Amino acid sequence: MAELRHSSSIGSRSSSSPLRAGGGDEDSSSPHVHDHSPNGGDDEDGRPRHPSRDRDRPIWFHSLFPFFGDDPIRVSPQKNKISLLLILILAIASLISLYGLINHLNTPYLCKKDGIVLNCPHVNESPSPWVNPLSATTSWKPCAERRIGGVSDLPPENETTGYVFIHAEGGLNQQRIAICNAVAVAKILNATLILPVLKQDQIWKDTTKFEDIFDVDHFIDYLKDDVRIVRDIPDWFTDKAELFSSIRRTVKNIPKYAAAQFYIDNVLPRIKEKKIMALKPFVDRLGYDNVPQEINRLRCRVNYHALKFLPEIEQMADSLVSRMRNRTGNPNPYMALHLRFEKGMVGLSFCDFVGTREEKVKMAEYRQKEWPRRFKVTFISG
């Protein structure tokens, strides 16, 4: 009886369905036929369901991308927005990865030449090393040219904050950088710069002075609107030996690549107090990114315009360059080789070298004398 009542209730529901009212086949109302239809049955709204296809997709796929389901109309707008945002992020990440891969494969800075990996930019090689391959650079204009027609706002020498004195250490290139930085520091402090002294080389016993290499008159005249420069220590300062030897006259705590503000906060008060101060050491003691732009332009003017070699040095340089140019294409061209293997460089590097026992003992003594603190840390502690 229970089965009979159940069948009749199903039949009554089927007879009231639209298909039944429309004169459909009676077999279509059978529950057995309905459950095994190819569409897998209808849902409550009359739309076809696909349970087999839904089971093939993982759950996380339906959670992240609901509008890829069988019924995108039923997906809420909020889920649609989230899914579209995720797809957009994935697309951007894919494009970035593809761009990086293409750049890596087509990078112009790595190539192999005779089995050696070299930095080889893709540029058209000029027929001669003296021809500029980048023709566009010929239209460039220097940004550090001397001011023309400007009025100097520098105070007289006796009204500046004081005098700055430095020793330019190292080789010629390091000395050149130190001179440029000395002019810049004098400008920052509104001080008078005493003509820098080239430190005597302890190895080669070189006694070359500033005036033996550079044109002093041109140096002072070119910078007359920027910095006050004098040739020597003022006569009123009698104890000249005190500079660089007395702690009362020497600033020794300047860090490498110091900012302009460091000089204003730490060096300027001592210059105002003592009137003359020596800065030691002074190798790379002024930064580039932490100073005003006009100070960097001033350094460029010093480097490319104010520092001018003496005529006899320029003539020698022109002669050497002319000889090298004339031998271009010759089977026996010139080659410049700087081994950098000298006593000072080997000692400063604190690297071991192939030498006799006697040479190593002498080098240890030399290092202990020139760099006692570093020698103590390297050899005694290590």
Side-chain angles (χ1 to χ4, degrees), residues 267-280:
V267 181
L268 182 58
R270 298 192 64 183
I271 291 179
K272 288 182 176 180
E273 177 188 359
K274 301 294 184 181
K275 293 303 178 183
I276 295 182
M277 291 298 297
L279 309 182
K280 178 186 179 182

Side-chain angles (χ1 to χ4, degrees), residues 121-127 133-134:
H122 292 168
V123 296
N124 296 326
E125 295 185 2
S126 57
L134 303 177

